[in-house]
Amino acid sequence: MNDLALLLTPEGRALLDEVRDTAPADELAVATRLRRDHPAELVSAALGQARLRQRAAAKFGAADAGRMFFTPNGVEQSTRAGVAAHRAERFKHLGVASVADLCCGIGGDAIAFARAGIRVLAVDRDPVTAAVARANAEALGLGELVEVREADVTEVDTGGYDAVFVDPARRGGRGRIFDPEAYSPPLSWAVEAARRAPRAALKVAPGIPHEAVPADAEAEWISDGGDVKEAVVWFGTEPGLVRATLLPGPRTLLGKGLPDPEVRPVGRYLYEPDGAVIRAHLVAEVAEHLDGGLIDPTIAYVTADGLRPTPYASAYEITDQLPFNVKRLKALLRERGVGTLTVKKRGSAVEPEELRRKVKPQGPNSATVFLTRVAGAPTMLIGAPATPPAATALP
C-alpha cells in the first residue's frame, strides 16, 4: 500500500515515466543513479512497477499497461483484456447496465465493463488489491463508472445491480486449485449469488468438469490466439447451452448435442480442433461440418478426405502414416531433407523435445509429425499445414 501511495505522487509518476523502458540487466545501474536524487524506497517501487508493467503488456497492451498499476499476483491472475472485452460485450448485448464485480482483483474486468458503458461496483477484500483497482480505474479515465469497495464479497448486497460477475481465487499457497469447492469463495456460493441476480457470469478454470456446471446455466469455453484461457458459467441466458468462443473474432461454436463422431481410417487431411472446442466437448460439431470422423475414439483429432474452411480447427495434409518407430521417422526425415520439425502429440507419452533430439532433423524443408493413436495403435502421422479455400459458410 505504501509503494502505491508513493507512486501516485507527482514525484512517483515522473519517476515511473523515467524508468518505463528499463531492461532487467540495467536495473542495478539505474537504481544506483536515481538514488542520488530520490528516496531509495521510491526508486525500488518504481523499478518494481516498471517490471510489472512490462510483463502486463502482453495481457493489457502496452498503452494501458503503461498507465496501470499492478501487483505480482494481479499480473498473473488478471483476465486478458480481449477476453474481458468479449465478456463485457456479451453483458451489454444482454441489456446489462450495471454489474457487481465480485473478487475484482486489480480491475481488469471492471475496466472492460466500464469501457462497454456498464456501471461497476468492484469488490475485493484485500486492501492493496482494492487500492490498485481504484488507481487503475482513475488512471484510465473510468473513475466515474467504477466504484471500488474493500469488503468481503459474501457480505455485499448486489440487489441493485443488473448482473453479478464473480471471479473466485483459484490459487492458494501451493499453486493452482482444481477443486471448485476450494475456490475462494467456493463455486457453490458463487452459483447461489448468481441465481439471485437477473444475469450472472462466473469465471472458472477451463478444466472444470462438465458435470460441475449447474443444469440451469450455460457454459462457455474461451480461447485467445489458440490458447484456452477460461471457462464461464452464465446464468440468465440459455440453460444447458454449451459454446466455444475463439478470440480474436469472436467466433462462437454452439453445441447441438451431437453423439461422438464415428472412428474412420485416416484420410488425406487431419484437423486439430481449437482447445476451447475440445474443452467444450464440441469436436462432433466440427467433424459434422468437415464430413469427417475420429482417428481413435479417445483422441480429439478429426480426419477427412476433403479440405474445408473452419475457424475451429487447424488443417494439415497428411503424407505418411507409420507405426511409431523413431528409426523409421529419422530415416524418412533425412530422405526428405527436413530440418524444421514441428512435433504435436495427443495420446502419446513421448515428449516433443526428446523426439527432436533423437531424430536430429537437418535440411532445408519442414514437416509436422503427430504422435498419436490410430484405432488404438501408437502411430506417427507426417504432413504439413494446409490452407483451406475461402470460406463460404461456417458453422
Side-chain angles (χ1 to χ4, degrees), residues 179-246:
D179 177 9
E181 284 307 295
Y183 292 173
S184 179
L187 181 60
S188 56
W189 179 89
V191 167
E192 291 308 310
R195 285 173 174 155
R196 292 193 295 269
R199 312 275 190 187
L202 314 179
K203 177 180 170 181
V204 295
I208 185 173
H210 279 236
E211 57 269 24
V213 177
D216 56 338
E218 169 199 324
E220 178 182 29
W221 277 262
I222 302 174
S223 68
D224 187 13
D227 295 327
V228 183
K229 294 302 180 184
E230 63 183 54
V232 186
V233 179
W234 290 89
F235 290 83
T237 54
E238 187 172 340
L241 179 66
V242 174
R243 67 171 71 202
T245 296
L246 281 56

Side-chain angles (χ1 to χ4, degrees), residues 69-219:
F69 297 89
F70 299 96
T71 64
N73 285 341
V75 173
E76 181 72 24
Q77 299 176 23
S78 57
T79 304
R80 185 175 288 265
V83 178
H86 163 70
R87 181 165 33 248
E89 285 301 315
R90 279 207 68 186
F91 266 135
K92 183 178 179 180
H93 181 72
L94 291 168
V96 170
S98 62
V99 60
D101 178 0
L102 308 181
C103 309
C104 69
I106 62 167
D109 281 282
I111 288 166
F113 292 139
R115 282 181 166 164
I118 299 172
R119 180 172 57 85
V120 188
L121 170 64
V123 183
D124 202 285
R125 69 181 179 182
D126 180 72
V128 174
T129 304
V132 170
R134 187 177 297 109
N136 285 335
E138 294 291 342
L140 298 179
L142 301 168
E144 291 186 1
L145 280 172
V146 181
E147 174 195 349
V148 179
R149 187 180 303 174
E150 178 192 331
D152 186 327
V153 297
T154 64
E155 299 174 357
V156 174
D157 180 10
T158 61
Y161 293 85
D162 297 336
V164 166
F165 171 63
V166 189
D167 181 5
R170 297 184 300 283
R171 287 183 180 270
R174 297 183 178 180
R176 291 183 180 179
I177 297 171
F178 297 98
D179 177 9
E181 284 307 295
Y183 292 173
S184 179
L187 181 60
S188 56
W189 179 89
V191 167
E192 291 308 310
R195 285 173 174 155
R196 292 193 295 269
R199 312 275 190 187
L202 314 179
K203 177 180 170 181
V204 295
I208 185 173
H210 279 236
E211 57 269 24
V213 177
D216 56 338
E218 169 199 324

